[in-house]
Amino acid sequence: MDAQDLGARCAEILNICLYANIATCGDDQPWNTPATAIPDSNLDIYWSSWTEAVHSKNILANPRAFITYYDSTRPRGTNNLRCLYLHCEAAVVQDHDEARAAHELLYPGEKIQLDNFFDSGLRRLYRARPLQAWLNCLSEQQVQPDTIDMRREVSLRDIRAAY
């Protein structure tokens, strides 16, 4: 696969998968959270969460996050080039215009109640901005003694162009 094909494959994964695993770390304790996480056209990924959730607190303390998307219904060993790994920087959405756009991505057609996501609201909208992306290129059954890596880096520019 060439770079454009890899970007298109990543865009396909983002279009198919509504759910992501969002890994964060706080106080040297890793934490992984499944969430509905939807990217915008710039590949900024949005989700909403309770302010007291472990990953929400972790993001306040440490913006580094790692997000994966994959189709968990595929038979074992058939996910080659179908698992997207994203190294990201995450943050609470604080701008009201950005929050409206994120809300529309996450809750299309629902009446917006931004107060629920600011100030004394119990939830927040979060954004993760990808810094690097990879696709898996081997299954564990294909690993050989000379295998160096099971992932291929994919240009964010190529993913955006296809998305």
Side-chain angles (χ1 to χ4, degrees):
M1 282 189 139
D2 68 15
Q4 286 181 323
D5 291 337
L6 291 172
R9 178 61 58 90
C10 293
E12 176 188 345
I13 293 167
L14 292 171
N15 280 314
I16 292 170
C17 299
L18 290 175
Y19 305 105
N21 292 309
I22 302 168
T24 60
C25 190
D27 296 326
D28 293 327
Q29 293 294 320
W31 192 259
N32 198 15
T33 302
T36 300
I38 310 292
D40 67 6
S41 60
N42 194 45
L43 298 185
D44 286 342
I45 299 164
Y46 293 93
W47 70 94
S48 65
S49 286
W50 178 41
T51 57
E52 296 302 307
V54 172
H55 65 279
S56 298
K57 290 179 178 182
N58 286 350
I59 289 168
L60 290 177
N62 178 357
R64 295 173 56 198
F66 202 89
I67 297 177
T68 58
Y69 287 91
Y70 62 96
D71 180 355
S72 65
T73 65
R74 295 180 64 82
R76 184 175 180 189
T78 65
N79 265 332
N80 293 357
L81 298 174
R82 299 217 175 260
C83 301
L84 178 58
Y85 303 79
L86 297 163
H87 171 219
C88 301
E89 185 170 285
V92 175
V93 173
Q94 296 188 19
D95 177 81
H96 283 253
D97 290 334
E98 183 181 13
R100 271 188 203 77
H103 189 279
E104 183 57 35
L105 281 172
L106 294 166
Y107 306 100
E110 290 186 25
K111 186 177 178 184
I112 193 164
Q113 304 236 342
L114 280 183
D115 291 345
N116 293 336
F117 298 96
F118 289 97
D119 302 321
S120 63
L122 298 177
R123 298 183 292 163
R124 295 290 182 269
L125 292 160
Y126 295 86
R127 173 196 357 91
R129 185 158 288 147
L131 303 172
Q132 283 181 285
W134 300 266
L135 278 172
N136 67 319
C137 58
L138 295 175
S139 75
E140 44 125 350
Q141 296 170 341
Q142 295 172 311
V143 172
Q144 300 293 318
D146 62 344
T147 298
I148 295 172
D149 198 351
M150 293 176 68
R151 304 179 302 179
R152 288 185 63 184
E153 189 163 3
V154 183
S155 161
L156 293 170
R157 184 189 70 243
D158 290 336
I159 300 171
R160 282 185 192 100
Y163 190 72

